[in-house]
Amino acid sequence: MRIFPMAGASDMDVAMNKGDITRQRIIATAAPIFNQRGFAGCSMQDIMEATGLEKGGLYRHFQSKEELATEALSYALARSVRSRTDDLKHIDGALAKLRFAVQRFVETPSLMPGGCPLMNTAIDTDDGNLALRKLAQTGLSNWKKRLAVIVNAGRRSGEIRADVEARQIANTMIATLEGALMISRLEGSKQALLDARISLEVLLNCIAANS
Amino acid sequence: MRIFPMAGASDMDVAMNKGDITRQRIIATAAPIFNQRGFAGCSMQDIMEATGLEKGGLYRHFQSKEELATEALSYALARSVRSRTDDLKHIDGALAKLRFAVQRFVETPSLMPGGCPLMNTAIDTDDGNLALRKLAQTGLSNWKKRLAVIVNAGRRSGEIRADVEARQIANTMIATLEGALMISRLEGSKQALLDARISLEVLLNCIAANS
Amino acid sequence: MRIFPMAGASDMDVAMNKGDITRQRIIATAAPIFNQRGFAGCSMQDIMEATGLEKGGLYRHFQSKEELATEALSYALARSVRSRTDDLKHIDGALAKLRFAVQRFVETPSLMPGGCPLMNTAIDTDDGNLALRKLAQTGLSNWKKRLAVIVNAGRRSGEIRADVEARQIANTMIATLEGALMISRLEGSKQALLDARISLEVLLNCIAANS
Amino acid sequence: MRIFPMAGASDMDVAMNKGDITRQRIIATAAPIFNQRGFAGCSMQDIMEATGLEKGGLYRHFQSKEELATEALSYALARSVRSRTDDLKHIDGALAKLRFAVQRFVETPSLMPGGCPLMNTAIDTDDGNLALRKLAQTGLSNWKKRLAVIVNAGRRSGEIRADVEARQIANTMIATLEGALMISRLEGSKQALLDARISLEVLLNCIAANS
DNA sequence: ACTCACGGGACAGCCCGTTCTT
DNA sequence: AAGAACGGGCTGTCCCGTGAGT
């Protein structure tokens, strides 16, 4: 369709025929619905209404509800993780990068209605649904790795104390932010996120080499 | 079941006739099931099988699935919150109390199969079900208050710096622990909980008055 | 329900609980619909609308559409065959019995809307559906036997010529009547049935012993 | 469509372009399928498999399933009726012609798999589908007329008694033969057809002038 | 106090007829 | 002529809640 794909084109800018466009539209529409109501709490009827397609139209593109949910989650996780670790390259300094990541999360805790897809899926698939669970595990793993890379870079540059475990910092940051997001959503207030940010600042100050 | 209720009996130990005993047994049996699968993901059939009762037997004690879920969640939350803040009286010192609470959580993150009922409900009721959501909100609020009381006691006794906000510490502790529990369950490893504990120790050291 | 079932009670007069009554009502309602539109041409939705029951209500009583169709056909065939061979006992003479049967058929070719269930099923199940086909075969066989018994009685009593084959007469009577009914329904006129009656009278006259 | 009809050419032998040939091939292939399974019981998928064409290929030639079915039935009826009344010219005598027609039917009751298209359609369209029904009505009417013409010719020539109604004989012959075919197919035996033939011989003997 | 039959209603997945694009 | 795309109907299953019976 498109002859000259532009540099920096997103996933949807590649040449697609009509079917692929519809498929992508379904995924983008379904993602927030699954994210809000969970797999069991959301019916294909809901997706039909949201997309304007009928049963036959949906099942042409996805073999089952689970396949659609998997794709939708994949999409949600990709957007979520990316938004949390993007744009860090042009920031100098490991600590500044980490502070920026915290700041970003507190300001925009989730692009997708319904909260963080990673946490939602982790809870929702606690009993079964291994396919979705696997995706969440991978998403978490990626996030942790990206943070750990920053921490280790700081250690090598001498900005961060050498006795700090990157994994521990990554785990703590993610745990505190996700937990705070949960509280925040339950309370309907940003307070918990703001409090988490302060505490994470304290933690980051503690691991700075010159502290 | 129990003929001579003992003094200091817990909720279940009060004198109950047969109907109440059955009702209580249903709740105790249903609680972990709802906690594991969520409201929508768990059917009355599941409860029937677990309790050995028939439909009619269940609906004699509860007007609807939602009423049963509400009672079950109430039960789960009460046990959960209590286990996290009990037995702190005989520990001297606010910081010691907080450290003990962290330690307790890391060792026994949830009594109930399926993880922390508070977090599960917070996620599960994100879209609707106000009754259950209200319960989770209250549970969270109680937990936060109990932690804040300890922090404030520490501030008054001079053990904790006066410029520390109790609410912020409570929020951070809960957020970090709950978030770490989520990670831990998703990864199938206690690592995240252990890392959270280390970080919370750092935080607690930072708010100590003599630091 | 009923304590003293009356002598000569029909199928529906036996003691039945609510479920059996509903089941019987569904069968009686579905029978003419299946008879009119055929198995493939009639949906469970049609049965739902006719009975006023919902899907769940129907499938409680029948495992599948095929089971319902089988019962409905069974019911239709039983009524049909019975109506064509009943009340012949009090008629004296084999030929008189046969003439009466022809007369009855011409006057009341089918109790059930949609024509003769036997013929309809014979045509409808021509490709597959062995269960329904078997039923039709049995219904036809019964009908033939009843006619053959009358013919043979006439031969023994000397009323009918001894060289007449009972099977041939039965086959011819049924064939001519059913064929005439088909023509009659297609043309929307009783003419074919009346013509068939005349021709069958001729045939019966030919097999009379004194002819 | 037809530009230069060739002498003695059958329907398919006329000059046709590629599209018309395909169209005719589809009709010839679909006819026995519709005849066997009925309109509702046969899907376009079945036609696709039988013809080797794809959906788009079929719908290029026919606007709808109904149009295809109509053409297929038309084709089947034409072949059927023709085969039953052809080749009678070179037989001398009305009764001989009628006996030959009976004989022909008994020997070759239907050229098309699935039985007589006339009867099948009469039953299949009992509820609706006026287009197909009309075709069957016309087919029946033609058949009756051809038989009636023979009877009337016999009356005029004095071979058949003058008090015989041609319509009654035609109706009876068709009814008996079609009914016997139905029985024969249901029983999986030619017996009913043979019996019908004997009975029709009796009838024809009865209407002979010299009887 | 409990069982079980009963019925309403929603849902998943499949298939079919038809149109649109290529 | 092919085949992707889509609207819509259909089957069978599951689940929730009621009520008669015991």
Side-chain angles (χ1 to χ4, degrees):
Chain A
M1 202 83 70
R2 172 176 303 209
I3 314 296
F4 303 109
M6 301 186 304
S10 81
D11 292 356
M12 272 182 283
D13 288 330
V14 298
M16 290 195 297
N17 53 25
K18 191 183 172 209
D20 289 340
I21 292 173
T22 302
R23 189 185 149 96
Q24 206 54 37
R25 183 169 61 83
I26 295 170
I27 291 171
T29 310
I33 302 179
F34 275 118
N35 195 45
Q36 281 171 292
R37 309 188 204 172
F39 182 74
C42 152
S43 74
M44 291 301 273
Q45 182 69 32
D46 297 332
I47 310 297
M48 285 166 57
E49 281 158 18
T51 57
L53 286 174
E54 295 298 317
K55 273 265 172 73
L58 288 183
Y59 275 93
R60 152 150 292 273
H61 296 286
F62 305 92
Q63 253 185 339
S64 66
K65 182 184 173 187
E66 183 159 359
E67 184 184 322
L68 171 53
T70 304
E71 297 276 18
L73 174 60
S74 223
Y75 168 86
L77 282 176
R79 282 182 39 135
S80 190
V81 171
R82 192 189 313 145
S83 89
R84 286 167 186 171
T85 49
D86 266 7
D87 303 326
L88 297 179
K89 294 152 213 152
H90 56 79
I91 293 180
D92 284 338
L95 288 172
K97 276 182 163 59
L98 296 176
R99 285 194 187 98
F100 183 83
V102 171
Q103 176 68 14
R104 163 82 64 92
F105 189 100
V106 170
E107 279 168 359
T108 314
S110 82
L111 299 169
M112 183 107 6
C116 173
L118 197 150
M119 180 162 52
N120 291 344
T121 308
I123 301 300
D124 195 43
T125 64
D126 188 77
D127 52 320
N129 213 325
L130 295 181
L132 292 182
R133 191 159 192 78
K134 203 91 192 171
L135 275 179
Q137 285 166 340
T138 306
L140 172 63
S141 174
N142 285 340
W143 193 6
K144 282 175 67 169
K145 271 183 205 140
R146 297 200 195 196
L147 291 177
V149 162
I150 298 173
V151 173
N152 281 329
R155 288 168 65 201
R156 276 194 303 274
S157 72
E159 194 184 356
I160 291 177
R161 297 206 325 247
D163 62 344
V164 164
E165 278 265 37
R167 190 209 59 242
Q168 179 219 324
I169 302 303
N171 266 337
T172 301
M173 285 181 61
I174 293 176
T176 306
L177 290 173
E178 289 284 347
L181 175 54
M182 183 266 285
I183 296 173
S184 164
R185 291 184 61 85
L186 186 54
E187 292 181 335
S189 141
K190 287 208 118 189
Q191 189 64 64
L193 282 164
L194 298 173
D195 288 347
R197 183 178 168 228
I198 295 174
S199 298
L200 286 175
E201 294 282 352
V202 171
L203 180 69
L204 293 180
N205 288 338
C206 288
I207 66 171
N210 58 339
S211 71
Chain B
M1 204 84 70
R2 172 177 303 206
I3 313 294
F4 303 109
M6 302 186 304
S10 78
D11 291 356
M12 271 183 289
D13 289 328
V14 296
M16 294 193 293
N17 54 25
K18 190 181 170 212
D20 289 341
I21 291 174
T22 303
R23 186 183 152 96
Q24 205 53 37
R25 183 169 61 83
I26 295 170
I27 291 171
T29 310
I33 302 179
F34 276 117
N35 195 46
Q36 280 172 291
R37 309 188 203 173
F39 183 74
C42 151
S43 74
M44 291 300 273
Q45 182 69 31
D46 298 330
I47 311 297
M48 285 167 57
E49 280 159 19
T51 57
L53 286 174
E54 295 299 316
K55 273 264 176 73
L58 292 180
Y59 276 91
R60 166 156 203 82
H61 296 287
F62 305 93
Q63 245 183 343
S64 67
K65 181 185 175 186
E66 183 160 358
E67 184 185 322
L68 171 53
T70 304
E71 298 276 18
L73 174 60
S74 221
Y75 169 85
L77 282 176
R79 282 182 41 135
S80 189
V81 171
R82 191 189 313 146
S83 89
R84 287 166 185 170
T85 49
D86 266 8
D87 302 327
L88 297 179
K89 293 154 213 153
H90 57 80
I91 294 181
D92 284 338
L95 287 172
K97 277 182 164 55
L98 296 176
R99 285 194 188 98
F100 183 83
V102 171
Q103 177 69 13
R104 162 85 63 93
F105 190 100
V106 170
E107 280 168 359
T108 315
S110 81
L111 299 170
M112 180 107 5
C116 173
L118 197 149
M119 180 161 53
N120 291 344
T121 308
I123 301 301
D124 195 43
T125 65
D126 188 77
D127 53 320
N129 213 324
L130 296 181
L132 292 182
R133 191 159 191 78
K134 204 91 190 169
L135 276 179
Q137 285 166 340
T138 305
L140 172 62
S141 175
N142 286 340
W143 192 7
K144 281 174 67 169
K145 270 183 206 142
R146 298 200 194 194
L147 291 177
V149 161
I150 297 173
V151 173
N152 281 329
R155 287 168 66 203
R156 277 195 302 277
S157 72
E159 194 183 357
I160 291 177
R161 295 202 332 241
D163 63 344
V164 164
E165 279 265 36
R167 190 210 59 242
Q168 180 220 323
I169 302 304
N171 265 339
T172 302
M173 284 181 61
I174 294 176
T176 305
L177 290 173
E178 290 283 348
L181 174 55
M182 183 267 285
I183 296 173
S184 163
R185 291 183 62 85
L186 186 54
E187 292 182 336
S189 140
K190 288 210 118 188
Q191 189 65 62
L193 282 165
L194 299 173
D195 288 346
R197 182 177 169 229
I198 296 175
S199 297
L200 286 175
E201 295 281 351
V202 171
L203 180 70
L204 293 180
N205 289 338
C206 287
I207 65 170
N210 58 339
S211 71
Chain C
M1 205 78 75
R2 171 177 303 208
I3 313 296
F4 303 109
M6 302 188 301
S10 81
D11 291 358
M12 273 182 282
D13 287 332
V14 297
M16 293 195 296
N17 52 25
K18 192 183 171 207
D20 290 339
I21 293 174
T22 302
R23 188 183 151 95
Q24 205 54 36
R25 183 169 62 84
I26 296 171
I27 291 172
T29 310
I33 301 179
F34 275 117
N35 195 46
Q36 280 172 295
R37 309 187 204 173
F39 181 73
C42 151
S43 75
M44 290 303 271
Q45 182 68 34
D46 298 331
I47 311 296
M48 285 166 58
E49 280 159 19
T51 57
L53 286 174
E54 296 296 316
K55 270 262 172 76
L58 287 184
Y59 274 92
R60 156 154 296 274
H61 297 285
F62 305 92
Q63 253 185 340
S64 65
K65 181 185 173 187
E66 184 161 356
E67 184 185 323
L68 170 52
T70 303
E71 298 275 17
L73 174 59
S74 223
Y75 168 86
L77 281 176
R79 282 182 41 135
S80 190
V81 170
R82 194 189 311 147
S83 89
R84 286 169 185 169
T85 48
D86 266 7
D87 303 326
L88 296 179
K89 293 154 214 152
H90 57 80
I91 292 181
D92 283 336
L95 288 172
K97 277 180 163 60
L98 297 177
R99 285 194 187 99
F100 183 82
V102 171
Q103 176 68 14
R104 163 84 63 93
F105 190 100
V106 171
E107 279 168 0
T108 314
S110 83
L111 300 170
M112 182 113 357
C116 173
L118 198 149
M119 179 162 53
N120 292 344
T121 309
I123 301 300
D124 195 43
T125 65
D126 189 76
D127 53 319
N129 214 324
L130 295 181
L132 292 182
R133 192 158 190 77
K134 203 92 191 168
L135 276 179
Q137 285 167 340
T138 307
L140 172 63
S141 175
N142 285 340
W143 193 6
K144 280 174 68 170
K145 269 182 207 142
R146 297 202 196 195
L147 291 178
V149 162
I150 296 173
V151 172
N152 280 328
R155 287 168 67 203
R156 276 194 303 276
S157 73
E159 196 183 354
I160 293 176
R161 293 196 339 235
D163 62 342
V164 165
E165 278 264 38
R167 189 208 60 241
Q168 178 220 326
I169 302 304
N171 266 338
T172 302
M173 284 181 63
I174 294 176
T176 306
L177 290 173
E178 289 284 347
L181 175 54
M182 183 268 284
I183 296 174
S184 163
R185 292 184 62 85
L186 185 55
E187 292 182 336
S189 139
K190 287 210 119 188
Q191 189 65 62
L193 282 165
L194 298 174
D195 287 346
R197 184 179 168 228
I198 295 175
S199 298
L200 286 175
E201 294 282 351
V202 171
L203 179 69
L204 293 180
N205 288 337
C206 286
I207 66 170
N210 58 339
S211 68
Chain D
M1 196 87 72
R2 169 177 309 205
I3 315 293
F4 302 110
M6 299 188 303
S10 83
D11 289 359
M12 273 183 283
D13 288 331
V14 298
M16 293 192 294
N17 56 25
K18 192 180 168 211
D20 289 341
I21 292 175
T22 303
R23 186 184 150 94
Q24 205 53 36
R25 185 170 59 84
I26 295 171
I27 290 172
T29 311
I33 302 179
F34 275 118
N35 194 46
Q36 280 172 294
R37 310 187 202 174
F39 182 73
C42 151
S43 73
M44 292 301 274
Q45 182 70 31
D46 298 331
I47 311 297
M48 285 166 58
E49 282 158 18
T51 57
L53 288 173
E54 294 298 317
K55 280 256 176 77
L58 290 181
Y59 274 90
R60 169 159 201 79
H61 296 286
F62 305 93
Q63 247 181 342
S64 66
K65 181 185 175 186
E66 183 161 357
E67 183 185 324
L68 171 52
T70 303
E71 298 276 17
L73 175 60
S74 222
Y75 168 86
L77 281 176
R79 282 182 40 137
S80 190
V81 170
R82 192 188 314 144
S83 90
R84 287 168 186 169
T85 49
D86 266 7
D87 303 325
L88 296 180
K89 293 153 216 152
H90 56 81
I91 293 181
D92 284 336
L95 287 173
K97 277 181 163 61
L98 296 177
R99 285 195 187 97
F100 184 83
V102 171
Q103 176 68 13
R104 163 85 63 91
F105 190 101
V106 171
E107 279 167 0
T108 316
S110 81
L111 300 170
M112 181 106 6
C116 173
L118 197 149
M119 180 162 53
N120 291 344
T121 309
I123 301 300
D124 196 42
T125 65
D126 187 78
D127 53 319
N129 213 324
L130 294 181
L132 292 182
R133 192 159 190 76
K134 203 90 192 171
L135 276 179
Q137 284 166 342
T138 305
L140 173 62
S141 175
N142 286 341
W143 193 6
K144 280 174 68 169
K145 269 181 206 142
R146 298 199 196 195
L147 291 178
V149 162
I150 297 174
V151 173
N152 281 328
R155 286 169 67 204
R156 276 194 302 277
S157 73
E159 194 183 355
I160 293 177
R161 294 201 333 240
D163 62 343
V164 165
E165 277 264 38
R167 189 209 61 241
Q168 180 220 323
I169 302 304
N171 265 339
T172 301
M173 284 180 64
I174 295 176
T176 305
L177 290 173
E178 290 284 346
L181 175 55
M182 183 266 285
I183 295 173
S184 164
R185 293 183 62 84
L186 185 55
E187 291 182 337
S189 140
K190 289 209 115 188
Q191 189 67 63
L193 282 164
L194 299 174
D195 287 346
R197 184 178 168 229
I198 296 175
S199 297
L200 286 175
E201 294 281 351
V202 171
L203 180 69
L204 293 180
N205 288 337
C206 287
I207 65 170
N210 57 340
S211 71

